[in-house]
Amino acid sequence: MEGFRVLEIKKSVFENNDREADKLREELKKEKTFLLNLMSSPGSGKTTTLKATIAALKDEMRIGVMEADIDSDVDAATIEKTGAKVIQLHTGGMCHLDAGMTRQGLEGLGTDNVDFAILENVGNLVCPAEFDTGAVKNAMILSVPEGHDKPLKYPLMFSICDVLLINKIDVMPYFDFDLEACKQYVTKLNPNIKIIPISARTGEGIEEWAEWLRQQVKAWNE
């Protein structure tokens, strides 16, 4: 007979986090604050995409941004120049945010005068996909230089997202990136996902992305 117990710690952590995430969404619903969780690999263009997004929507919505990173405040300093409300979150070495950490960020940001809050999650395609942050919608960015096979390597990330932005399409002629193959891989994992090719640098596709966000924010507030 074994003389020790086995505790399913991982399961417990996820269950508790899911409850906290659901509670946070209920609170955001009452406050009429829409929270987007934005995820990607480092270097995919999250911050540049955020700048373009803010420029497209800043005259229609009060926008707040939480910049999460292991260290540094480079991204927050960049976003501050857009005029959006911003706060930097340091994760203390952790490679993701959970619902409790997101709540702390929102409390620090303040949602009284924020219609649209954006969480720029820590840059990687593994850990952030495993934790529900309490966001209303999950979005991710895949950049052309990363390759069209990423959905095959990181299926969970693509499975839990509501929208995929394929960024840096302006450099597609210089990379071996098969857009149609990428779309097929993604929709096989997630048939309901919205896929929007964009170039945050040139602005291509940003209006379609902004319109998708307008619709989501409107539906959340109805």
Side-chain angles (χ1 to χ4, degrees), residues 125-145:
L125 296 181
V126 182
C127 303
E130 297 181 342
F131 290 85
D132 189 342
T133 61
V136 182
K137 295 291 180 181
N138 292 316
M140 74 162 294
I141 300 173
L142 172 68
S143 66
V144 166

Side-chain angles (χ1 to χ4, degrees), residues 129-190:
E130 297 181 342
F131 290 85
D132 189 342
T133 61
V136 182
K137 295 291 180 181
N138 292 316
M140 74 162 294
I141 300 173
L142 172 68
S143 66
V144 166
E146 294 175 74
H148 60 263
D149 60 349
K150 281 296 182 289
L152 303 178
K153 297 179 179 181
Y154 304 97
L156 180 59
M157 174 62 76
F158 291 86
S159 298
I160 59 98
C161 284
D162 301 285
V163 60
L164 166 65
L165 304 179
I166 300 179
N167 191 25
K168 304 186 183 181
I169 58 171
D170 53 306
V171 300
M172 198 176 298
Y174 308 102
F175 289 88
D176 184 19
F177 187 94
D178 189 329
L179 181 59
E180 292 308 312
C182 184
K183 289 180 178 180
Q184 290 176 15
Y185 296 151
V186 173
T187 53
K188 186 175 182 180
L189 291 167
N190 186 350

Side-chain angles (χ1 to χ4, degrees), residues 105-122:
L106 287 167
E107 290 172 352
L109 179 69
T111 58
D112 291 344
N113 60 346
V114 173
D115 306 308
F116 176 32
I118 306 168
L119 171 63
E120 182 178 339
N121 216 314
V122 181

Side-chain angles (χ1 to χ4, degrees), residues 6 92 123 125 150 167 170 181 196 201 208 220:
V6 177
L125 296 181
K150 281 296 182 289
N167 191 25
D170 53 306
I196 307 175
R201 187 179 69 85
E208 182 181 356
W220 181 246

Side-chain angles (χ1 to χ4, degrees), residues 9-200:
I9 296 296
K10 186 174 182 181
K11 181 179 178 182
S12 175
V13 167
F14 285 143
E15 287 179 348
N16 290 339
N17 183 70
D18 288 346
R19 285 194 291 269
E20 182 67 19
D22 287 338
K23 183 179 178 182
L24 180 55
R25 269 187 291 273
E26 290 175 4
E27 295 170 5
L28 290 170
K29 181 72 172 178
K30 292 177 182 177
E31 296 173 4
K32 293 187 178 297
T33 299
F34 181 94
L35 174 60
L36 177 77
N37 178 28
L38 182 62
M39 299 172 285
S40 79
S41 298
S44 66
K46 282 198 302 296
T47 304
T48 304
T49 300
L50 273 181
K51 288 170 61 181
T53 304
I54 293 167
L57 297 173
K58 65 181 180 180
D59 294 333
E60 308 168 39
M61 306 176 191
R62 297 171 296 177
I63 301 173
V65 178
M66 295 176 285
E67 289 285 354
D69 218 330
I70 292 173
D71 204 348
S72 90
D73 59 2
V74 173
D75 290 343
T78 299
I79 293 300
E80 185 180 31
K81 296 175 184 177
T82 69
K85 192 175 183 181
V86 64
I87 188 172
Q88 181 75 52
L89 309 180
H90 286 165
T91 64
M94 297 185 70
C95 60
H96 69 276
L97 270 78
D98 58 21
M101 296 161 74
T102 302
R103 179 187 293 281
Q104 292 179 55
L106 287 167
E107 290 172 352
L109 179 69
T111 58
D112 291 344
N113 60 346
V114 173
D115 306 308
F116 176 32
I118 306 168
L119 171 63
E120 182 178 339
N121 216 314
V122 181
N124 75 82
L125 296 181
V126 182
C127 303
E130 297 181 342
F131 290 85
D132 189 342
T133 61
V136 182
K137 295 291 180 181
N138 292 316
M140 74 162 294
I141 300 173
L142 172 68
S143 66
V144 166
E146 294 175 74
H148 60 263
D149 60 349
K150 281 296 182 289
L152 303 178
K153 297 179 179 181
Y154 304 97
L156 180 59
M157 174 62 76
F158 291 86
S159 298
I160 59 98
C161 284
D162 301 285
V163 60
L164 166 65
L165 304 179
I166 300 179
N167 191 25
K168 304 186 183 181
I169 58 171
D170 53 306
V171 300
M172 198 176 298
Y174 308 102
F175 289 88
D176 184 19
F177 187 94
D178 189 329
L179 181 59
E180 292 308 312
C182 184
K183 289 180 178 180
Q184 290 176 15
Y185 296 151
V186 173
T187 53
K188 186 175 182 180
L189 291 167
N190 186 350
N192 298 318
I193 196 169
K194 174 75 171 176
I195 301 175
I196 307 175
I198 69 166
S199 169

